[in-house]
Amino acid sequence: MRTYLMLVLVMAFWGSAFALSKVSVNEVTPQVGAFLRFGLGAVVLLVLHSVLARHRIGGKDLGKVAGLGMLGMFGYNSFFFMALSLAPSADGSVIVPVTAPVITVAVTALLGRRTLTVRATAGLVIAVAGAAVFFVGIPDGGSSRFAGDLLFLGAAACWAAYTICGAPLLSRLPAFTVTAYATTAGAVALGVIALPSFGDVDWSGLDAGFWLNQAYLATLPTALAYVMYYQAVRAVGPATAASAMFLVPVFGLTGSWLVLGESITPVQAVGSACMLVGAWLATITPSRKPSADPVHVKPLSRR
């Protein structure tokens, strides 16, 4: 039960990050916004890790963890922040958390790590159809919004890859350590991409509200939430953990409406409902190979 409550809190943090990240890219370029969030987040994680964990990674594992950082931090946020500059955060709060678990389930099935039942297959079809309706519902003349929503799909694909590829490492390494090192690797890559844009930012014009927003994004939706999410992946498996992302649209749409006054169109709402139903059908179906989904390891307290 504690794991599922932890997942709900993670989803609340991530849901809030959509609108607040949009606020960030209204002030700075997408590249700089992504780097500030994860650069500061990496610092927080490394400080906490040095005090609480002090676990080292070496050899091939270090390269694998860095690769996770390229997927979950650099890849995801490159797509995510660019999408925010083109489309409403409300769109992203639906597309990313709903399509990521669908992709996760589909890929784990293709890899033989999950057996799809008729119900799960029907769910995938419904989810894809809902996504098509969602895109059809984009208002006329919303070409930039369409492009942004496609970028949100790219972010979802990166997140699914991050979830799947991270599971084997979590069978041997602490979630805190994997997250700290992966975030640092991704933040370095984001910094390299952001560096040419630093001169375009009016740093003196950024007020205290902007930096408080960055502090929140770096500590709760990034540092704390990422560790908690990987703890959940470790406990219940990637597909089950990813299915909790169905809660993100609730928090995300609420935040987008309260903070930015954004909303989705009625047709997009229909598509969203279909996506949610389809994704729910696809992911709640238990695997016929239960040992292939959860990561069976000793509890952290016994390591």
Side-chain angles (χ1 to χ4, degrees):
M1 176 62 71
R2 186 174 67 177
T3 298
Y4 294 101
L5 290 175
M6 181 171 64
L7 278 172
V8 172
L9 185 58
V10 169
M11 301 311 145
F13 287 149
W14 282 345
S16 70
F18 284 88
L20 295 178
S21 294
K22 179 77 171 183
V23 171
S24 178
V25 298
N26 287 338
E27 300 290 334
V28 298
T29 65
Q31 295 83 2
V32 172
F35 171 66
L36 288 176
R37 175 179 171 181
F38 280 84
L40 294 172
V43 171
V44 173
L45 280 169
L46 288 175
V47 170
L48 292 176
H49 186 267
S50 66
V51 174
L52 302 176
R54 300 182 182 179
H55 187 95
R56 294 182 179 274
I57 298 178
K60 295 181 180 180
D61 284 340
L62 186 60
K64 292 177 180 178
V65 172
L68 284 180
M70 295 303 103
L71 286 172
M73 285 70 181
F74 176 72
Y76 173 84
N77 286 285
S78 294
F79 282 111
F80 179 74
F81 275 85
M82 186 61 70
L84 284 175
S85 69
L86 298 172
S89 63
D91 285 10
S93 68
V94 173
I95 294 172
V96 175
V98 176
T99 57
V102 170
I103 296 170
T104 301
V105 169
V107 173
T108 53
L110 289 173
L111 294 175
R113 293 165 59 183
R114 184 183 182 93
T115 301
L116 289 181
T117 63
V118 173
R119 181 177 183 176
T121 303
L124 291 176
V125 173
I126 293 172
V128 172
V133 173
F134 186 93
F135 276 83
V136 169
I138 294 174
D140 292 339
S143 58
S144 65
R145 185 171 182 172
F146 182 82
D149 286 355
L150 288 178
L151 289 171
F152 280 131
L153 278 179
C158 287
W159 185 258
Y162 175 70
T163 300
I164 295 167
C165 295
L169 280 173
L170 293 175
S171 66
R172 297 181 288 104
L173 300 171
F176 196 169
T177 300
V178 171
T179 305
Y181 280 71
T183 301
T184 301
V188 170
L190 288 169
V192 171
I193 298 299
L195 189 59
S197 300
F198 281 4
D200 299 329
V201 178
D202 180 15
W203 296 100
S204 62
L206 300 177
D207 58 18
F210 173 86
W211 292 111
L212 286 174
N213 184 33
Q214 294 305 309
Y216 172 84
L217 289 171
T219 54
L220 297 184
T222 303
L224 181 60
Y226 270 64
V227 173
M228 293 167 65
Y229 179 74
Y230 252 173
Q231 289 280 16
V233 170
R234 184 187 183 96
V236 299
T240 303
S243 68
M245 294 183 78
F246 302 148
L247 296 173
V248 175
V250 177
F251 296 111
L253 286 172
T254 301
S256 295
W257 175 64
L258 290 175
V259 176
L260 301 169
E262 293 179 349
S263 63
I264 57 177
T265 68
V267 174
Q268 286 180 305
V270 172
S272 299
C274 291
M275 290 166 67
L276 283 167
V277 171
W280 179 75
L281 290 172
T283 57
I284 64 163
T285 305
S287 171
R288 293 179 182 175
K289 300 178 181 179
S291 61
D293 181 16
V295 182
H296 297 288
V297 295
K298 295 179 181 178
L300 282 173
S301 59
R302 299 180 186 177
R303 296 183 72 87

